[in-house]
Amino acid sequence: MTISSAQALSVLTVPAFDDNYLWLIHDGIHAAVVDPGDAKPILAALREHGLKLTAILLTHHHADHIGGVPELLQHYPAPVFGPHNETIASVTRPVGEGSRVDVPGLDLRLSVLDVPGHTNGHIAYIRDVDGPEPWLFCGDTLFAGGCGRLFEGTPAQMISSLGKLAALPDATKVYCAHEYTLSNLRFARVVEPGNIALRSRVEVETGKREHNIPTVPSTIGLEKATNPFLRYREPEIVQQLINADMLKPGESSLAAFTALRLWKNNF
Ligand code: ZN
Ligand code: FE
């Protein structure tokens, strides 16, 4: 059965630069990498685990997500999947909303969502949305406790993109691309001080970081309970925005999200 062999897949966390996570999905023999901003740590992890790279998956065009691709291709002639709406020289298999990716070398099928906002063509990859352990690789769109900056897209686009991700099952593991969690949660506490789930999350994640344990992956359920960028309609958050003079009473939820993102940019 496909399901039982798919469960043999696992995801290795490969830290890079100051706070990036590169994800290596593997079955003990073959591997696919998500957003290899740097080739060195990926080549080291492949060597250490005796894996052969058979696919490269990119979420968006920023250098910290694609910078390692040319060097990886020198070692492994892997196909490169990436957003059809962005120009990335190394991409050989452009994909977008509705695409299915049968990942070469692995018993792994991913579906693709367009999630513009951080960049105009940003995509996300999802495994097994109806299965026991859904996975989401969302690059710099949804973060643990936060969301990506709007470098190219609009707040309305980001709201719609985050809405697509929030609609995934609560158990979906969220493999985002940066360890920004504690600073995101510091902001979240200011904008929603009464959120009990958020308070306990801060304790849990702080404990992980004290022991240098990644706070990623998170889950969609946890993000829905604690991430202000999925909770911008909550009365307490709206009130905090009004108190901070970032929003006027009665303004739209688009205005609230926009104000929240702006506040975080300057936090
Ligand atoms: Zn980025
Ligand atoms: Fe990034």
Side-chain angles (χ1 to χ4, degrees), residues 60 62 64-65 118 140:
H60 68 293
H62 286 160
D64 63 313
H65 298 253
H118 178 69
D140 290 352

Side-chain angles (χ1 to χ4, degrees), residues 33-36 55-62 65-73 77-96 99 101 112 121-123 125:
V33 66
V34 183
D35 283 355
I56 297 172
L57 303 159
L58 307 177
T59 63
H60 68 293
H61 67 82
H62 286 160
H65 298 253
I66 69 169
V69 174
E71 191 177 343
L72 290 174
L73 291 175
V80 183
F81 298 86
H84 62 160
N85 286 333
E86 294 190 352
T87 308
I88 303 173
S90 59
V91 168
T92 57
R93 309 277 293 272
V95 292
S99 297
V101 176
V112 178
H122 202 304
I123 58 172
Y125 298 91

Side-chain angles (χ1 to χ4, degrees), residues 151-179:
F151 286 120
E152 298 174 11
T154 63
Q157 281 180 314
M158 191 54 129
I159 285 176
S160 148
S161 297
L162 292 175
K164 289 181 193 177
L165 304 183
L168 296 170
D170 282 357
T172 307
K173 286 191 176 172
V174 178
Y175 292 92
C176 59
H178 290 272
E179 179 64 62

